[in-house]
Amino acid sequence: MTWRILAVNALALFVLVAGILYLGRYKQELIHSELEAMAVQAEMYAAALSTSAVSSSDDATNRVKIEVAREMVRRLVGITGARTRLFATNGSLLADSRSIQSLGAGTIQAEQLPPPGEEDAFADIMRKLTDGILTLFEGEQPLPLYVDPPVASAADYPEVRAALAGYSRGVVRVDSEGRRVLSVSVPVARFKQVLASVMMTKSGESIENALHAVRLDILKIFVFAFGITVLLSIYLAGVITRPLNRLARAAERVRRSKNRQFAIPDLSDRRDEIGDLSTTLRDMTETLWDRMDAIERFAADVAHEIKNPLTSLRSAVETATRLKDPERQRRLMEIIAEDVQRLDRLISDISDYSRMDAELSRAESEEVDLDVLLYTLGELYNADAEGPRVKVSVPENLNVPALESRLTQVFRNLISNAITFTPEGGEVRVRAWRDKNWAVITVEDDGPGIPPGKEEAIFNRFYTERPATEKFGQHSGLGLSISKRIIAAHNGELSAQNRVVRDEVKGAVFTIRLPLD
């Protein structure tokens, strides 16, 4: 992850710097500005030559004074540093700022040498290499080659031909070493008569130097910024990966351990996503341990509850083998049959209890109409003429998202318990109403109520508190515990309390609260 963070941050920086180093537009502006400046200078030279180096004859014919023109060209070039040439209308070269004419000695070429001590071969090679690569990325069109023939003429330069035709023109070329050469040519005219053409040629080295200086400054900033990016990326990676590695190692230790000696680190002080992950992992681990504890307690409770009828069965079987009295054997066989039924009921309830969580986690909730459900259950129980009446009062269209089969199981448990404890002449009242975002359902009976202090204990597994008239072993003690777990799985609440009238207990009330959405 550290390398990925560094790569992403560095990539953004590289793209930014590459975009900045793409100075094609800036370079074109520099070239255009340089050509315009050279054109202005060339026009000044042409104006000076047309005034001082042109003579008029009696027939109004204008001619260029060649010697004067050559001297003026040599003097003017010292100011600009550009090579200046003067071409006649017939295309011949009249003057060249680099040529020094001497009597009988031919022509001497004068060139400006670079200052001593400024050449660095390696730096020059690296500069050409980097500038060449960047030029390739700029996608510049190939430039024409600049050729300096031994005997130059107007035919060698299209800009000179254009100037002799009366038009100023600028051209950019490259020499044999790949360096830019800027050239501008303007006409030398007097009274609108073109007498010659001034051609100024200048190396584009100043432009390249300016571009190189800008790129060098950008690269210096890039190196500094890249160093900062690397440091920040390492810091960021450490801030992210180090705690994640701690959490991963802790989770692995918890997975491999057989006890609770290892815990997930508490990183909640970070107040970020990693802190939230730490809190979630800690809560998940605690929930896992609680679930394991619950499974262990459940296994112990199941073993204890099954052991009782098994002990009774074993004792009855051992006694039955020794008895000779048929009547006593018959009674023992009845006890054995009851214990077998009790075991069957207990195992069925335990199986239902153990499957319930998995079923609730897989099942899809649906809209359950409490009006229809509760009235249907009321009619079902009222079909028995001998039992207490079940009175139902539910508003229409009271719907809750739930698993209908399990919700029906809860109401059947509560109504059956209420009927069991309600004496003759009493009734069971089932009522429901809306309370803001909750559906509240109560099941009341007219029985003896809940023993004091047992309002929570009655929801424990295998807890039984049955009427004295009921035969022992008819219930497993899991009904209310299953009901509470079903309601909790629906994000609801199930509670119990006594119905007290004038300080006298008149029955029990079970209250269910279910969210409406």
Side-chain angles (χ1 to χ4, degrees), residues 96-347:
D96 187 349
S97 62
R98 288 190 181 178
S99 298
I100 302 175
Q101 300 290 339
S102 56
L103 296 174
T107 302
I108 301 174
Q109 293 284 340
E111 293 187 9
Q112 186 176 1
L113 297 176
E118 292 189 3
E119 294 185 358
D120 188 341
F122 178 76
D124 187 59
I125 292 173
M126 292 302 297
R127 172 178 170 176
K128 289 181 178 179
L129 179 62
T130 55
D131 289 349
I133 294 174
L134 292 172
T135 301
L136 289 177
F137 281 108
E138 290 172 0
E140 186 178 16
Q141 295 296 327
L143 297 175
L145 180 64
Y146 173 76
V147 179
D148 192 6
V151 180
S153 67
D156 299 322
Y157 307 105
E159 64 271 30
V160 175
R161 295 196 299 270
L164 292 176
Y167 303 100
S168 299
R169 185 176 177 184
V171 179
V172 181
R173 301 183 182 87
V174 291
D175 61 13
S176 58
E177 296 182 2
R179 294 174 299 188
R180 283 181 178 79
V181 178
L182 280 64
S183 177
V184 172
S185 186
V186 299
V188 178
R190 188 170 187 181
F191 304 118
K192 296 185 180 182
Q193 179 186 0
V194 176
L195 304 175
S197 171
V198 174
M199 177 182 176
M200 290 186 64
T201 306
K202 188 175 183 180
S203 171
E205 187 177 358
S206 60
I207 297 175
E208 298 296 337
N209 290 338
L211 289 173
H212 179 73
V214 172
R215 285 170 176 160
L216 186 60
D217 291 339
I218 292 173
L219 289 176
K220 290 178 181 178
I221 297 174
F222 166 73
V223 171
F224 176 75
F226 182 74
I228 297 297
T229 300
V230 170
L231 295 177
L232 291 178
S233 298
I234 294 173
Y235 167 75
L236 181 61
V239 169
I240 295 175
T241 59
R242 194 178 300 115
L244 287 179
N245 287 333
R246 286 183 59 194
L247 292 176
R249 288 194 297 268
E252 182 65 18
R253 288 196 298 266
V254 170
R255 185 181 71 85
R256 294 179 178 276
S257 66
K258 304 299 182 182
N259 49 45
R260 305 187 189 187
Q261 61 178 333
F262 298 109
I264 301 296
D266 186 6
L267 305 178
S268 56
D269 293 340
R270 290 175 58 100
R271 301 185 181 277
D272 57 10
E273 288 78 2
I274 295 179
D276 295 340
L277 176 62
S278 167
T279 302
T280 302
L281 286 176
R282 288 174 61 85
D283 293 343
M284 184 182 69
T285 305
E286 290 299 322
T287 302
L288 179 62
W289 287 121
D290 291 343
R291 183 64 59 87
M292 294 176 65
D293 292 341
I295 293 173
E296 184 179 353
R297 291 193 301 268
F298 180 68
D301 293 341
V302 168
H304 176 74
E305 291 298 321
I306 292 179
K307 188 175 182 180
N308 290 335
L310 284 177
T311 302
S312 176
L313 273 173
R314 185 178 62 182
S315 177
V317 170
E318 290 175 353
T319 303
T321 57
R322 295 194 299 268
L323 290 177
K324 303 299 182 182
D325 185 358
E327 181 63 24
R328 295 182 65 184
Q329 285 183 346
R330 185 184 63 79
R331 291 181 60 187
L332 281 175
M333 292 304 295
E334 291 178 355
I335 294 174
I336 291 173
E338 290 176 357
D339 286 339
V340 170
Q341 291 179 358
R342 180 183 172 192
L343 271 174
D344 180 68
R345 186 181 303 107
L346 186 61
I347 290 172

Side-chain angles (χ1 to χ4, degrees), residues 70-90:
R70 287 175 179 172
E71 184 64 25
M72 289 183 65
V73 167
R74 283 197 296 272
R75 290 180 178 275
L76 290 173
V77 76
I79 302 174
T80 61
R83 181 181 183 182
T84 306
R85 281 171 281 188
L86 183 65
F87 290 90
T89 53
N90 61 2

Side-chain angles (χ1 to χ4, degrees), residues 415-434:
I415 295 175
S416 297
N417 280 345
I419 290 174
T420 301
F421 285 96
T422 299
E424 268 187 52
E427 67 176 11
V428 174
R429 292 168 294 280
V430 180
R431 290 183 291 193
W433 65 89
R434 289 183 179 85

